[in-house]
Structures are given as structure tokens and as C-alpha cells.
Amino acid sequence: MNLKILFALLGLTFITAVLASQKLLIHYTIEIIIILSILKFYGVVFYFMELKEAHLFWKTSIFIFTFLFAIITVIMI
Amino acid sequence: MDLTVKNYKNIYYPPGGILIWIIIFLELITFGMALIAMVFYGKDEPEIFHQSRLLLNTAYGAINTLFLITSGFFMAESLHYFKKGNVQKSIWFLKLTMLGGLLFLGLKSLEYYDKIEAGLTLSYNTFFSFYWMLTLFHVIHVLVGLVILCTVYLSLRKKQHQVNLEDFEAGAAFWHMCDLIWLLLFPIIYLIF
């Protein structure tokens, strides 16, 4: 399972790098980059760190943190 | 060697223990607020931030992301084999984890050298003040993480019976935290301005 997650994370990193290099060509590039980064964040925290096995409190806290971070960043940029 | 697995569904026992998760959240909030401050200042000086961002080597940042993610995978595998009682494989993956960290630091050093050579130091402008403070603070975390992993490695090699699962998980969680922080730093510093 972790190997699949690793390849998914590497793929997302590659897509992010390609998107960033074509920033002026695609609308909402910044928003997409932030969303992809948050997805990578979830891959690490829920699978590599096994937080998917933890109490709902910890999962919810991670969701709240990433949601606030992404929203504030996108609004302010 | 204590391999007793805690019930992670218990609110007081997330993987690695509650204390390391309190630290992780405090670190994430600290870095998160600093990055939001960077975005806030970027709004005041959009052209300076854009031109400064172009002076960074995005390839270095992307390769370092690959190093840290792959290192995180090796860490997860090391813990997985430790839980199964296969110490030799656990040690092998732990070595690969540390190699990933060292490669990250090596490439970061090269990047810092380029920046210093070009005169892009802490006082160059607001963007580079944030760049140096945030990335250096992160590098310190990676160094501390490597020291923790070295300690676990030496304990596994010499005093296997003294290593318990929760300590191993806490060390692994700290290492993954470095990964998480980098996943927030990379897009904001290297890509979006």
C-alpha cells in the first residue's frame, strides 16, 4: 500500500512542477498547486504516519488545519 | 524489544504518542502562520516577490521534495518491519531514510551556496528574508530528525531489547513532520509568486 502512495506522491510532485512551469497558460494554477500540495500532505499524514488508524479527533484536526491554511493562502494571494 | 501495539483509536494514543502530535501541530501552526505572513507581504510587493521567486532554482526544490517523500516512505517501511519483528530489514530501511535526509541536506547546501555567491542573503529583500528564515528553520528540524534517527539506529544495532515501539514511532513521526513542513514550504516559496 505504501508503495502505491509513494508513486502517487511522486506523480503529484511531477504534475505540480509541470503546472508551475506553465503558470501563465492555465487559469487557477495557484489554486491547483495548493490543492495538489494538500493531497500530498494527506498522503504522508494518513498513510506514512498511519493517522488513518487514529481517533477521529486527530483526523479532524488535520483537516481543519489544512482547510484553513489552503483557504487563507488562496484568499490572500 | 517492546512491540506492544497501542490502540490508536484511543484519543490519547495517536501513532507515536500524544506528545509528539502536540509538537507536530505546534510546528505546523508556526510554519503555517509564517507562510501566511509571507503571502501577506507578497501582496504588498508582488513584483519584487515574483522577480525574487524567479531567482530560486525550482528544480532543486522539486528534487528535494522527491528526496523527502522517498525518505518518508523508507521510514514507514522501517517501522513496518520493526513491528513485524524483522530488525535487519528495519535497520536497512532506516539507513535508506537517513540517506534521503543527507541527500536533502546536500542539495540544500548547494542551493544555499549558489544564493550566497549571488549575494541573495537574508537582508537582500523581504522575499529572501522569508526564504532564509523558513528554509533554515526547516533545515534545523531535518538535522534534529537525523540525530533522532541515528539514535534509533544505534539502539537497534546495539541494544535491540531497549527499543520500544512507541519511541520508534515518535522518532518516525518527527521525521515525517519534516516532510509535512516541506510540503507546505515548497509550493509557497518556490512556485506561487
Side-chain angles (χ1 to χ4, degrees):
Chain A
M1 185 61 187
N2 277 344
L3 196 60
K4 285 182 189 168
I5 298 296
L6 172 68
F7 286 125
L9 294 174
L10 297 180
L12 287 174
T13 304
F14 178 74
I15 294 169
T16 307
V18 171
L19 268 177
S21 66
Q22 303 185 345
K23 200 170 173 179
L24 298 174
L25 303 177
I26 305 167
H27 289 298
Y28 304 114
T29 306
I30 291 172
E31 289 82 351
I32 296 169
I33 288 172
I34 298 290
I35 290 167
L36 291 178
S37 300
I38 297 298
L39 287 178
K40 286 191 279 182
F41 189 97
Y42 288 156
V44 172
V45 86
F46 287 114
Y47 290 92
F48 291 175
M49 299 176 89
E50 297 184 326
L51 205 69
K52 66 179 191 302
E53 311 287 344
H55 188 275
L56 187 65
F57 169 79
W58 298 102
K59 297 181 214 175
T60 313
S61 302
I62 284 290
F63 278 121
I64 291 170
F65 169 77
T66 50
F67 177 77
L68 287 176
F69 178 78
I71 288 291
I72 294 170
T73 305
V74 168
I75 288 172
M76 286 178 67
I77 202 78
Chain B
M1 203 162 71
D2 180 10
L3 293 177
T4 314
V5 178
K6 294 269 193 294
N7 175 17
Y8 297 143
K9 292 290 176 198
N10 184 328
I11 192 169
Y12 300 111
Y13 294 103
I18 193 167
L19 286 178
I20 193 71
W21 277 97
I22 289 171
I23 291 171
I24 289 171
F25 271 97
L26 288 174
E27 295 282 357
L28 289 175
I29 290 167
T30 306
F31 274 95
M33 285 169 67
L35 285 168
I36 287 168
M38 185 179 188
V39 173
F40 179 78
Y41 279 98
K43 251 180 109 175
D44 286 343
E45 306 169 11
E47 196 50 36
I48 290 174
F49 270 62
H50 176 63
Q51 293 304 326
S52 301
R53 199 274 293 176
L54 294 177
L55 295 172
L56 297 181
N57 191 331
T58 310
Y60 282 172
I63 295 168
N64 263 341
T65 307
L66 300 184
F67 284 154
L68 278 189
I69 286 175
T70 311
S71 175
F73 164 73
F74 290 141
M75 186 73 253
E77 287 298 296
S78 177
L79 185 59
H80 170 75
Y81 282 108
F82 181 77
K83 282 178 183 172
K84 284 189 161 184
N86 189 341
V87 177
Q88 286 313 310
K89 269 204 162 179
S90 179
I91 287 175
W92 169 244
F93 279 110
L94 197 56
K95 282 183 196 170
L96 290 174
T97 307
M98 290 189 283
L99 177 66
L102 290 173
L103 287 172
F104 175 88
L105 290 177
L107 193 57
K108 207 86 199 107
S109 306
L110 194 64
E111 186 182 348
Y112 285 159
Y113 179 78
D114 286 350
K115 296 291 159 286
I116 291 167
E117 281 283 291
L120 304 170
T121 53
L122 190 74
S123 56
Y124 185 74
N125 63 22
T126 316
F127 178 89
F128 278 100
S129 298
F130 275 106
Y131 165 81
W132 281 102
M133 283 191 292
L134 287 167
T135 59
L136 269 177
F137 195 33
H138 176 257
V139 162
I140 292 168
H141 284 75
V142 174
L143 284 170
V144 172
L146 276 175
V147 171
I148 292 170
L149 293 187
C150 273
T151 311
V152 174
Y153 170 72
L154 292 174
S155 303
L156 271 180
R157 279 194 61 178
K158 291 178 182 165
K159 300 173 263 182
Q160 283 176 25
H161 59 282
Q162 286 184 10
V163 181
N164 70 57
L165 180 59
E166 199 169 333
D167 290 344
F168 199 125
E169 280 183 330
F174 189 93
W175 187 251
H176 289 304
M177 179 189 76
C178 298
D179 203 352
L180 294 179
I181 293 169
W182 182 256
L183 289 177
L184 299 179
L185 292 184
F186 174 62
I188 305 287
I189 296 177
Y190 289 81
L191 303 178
I192 67 169
F193 290 111

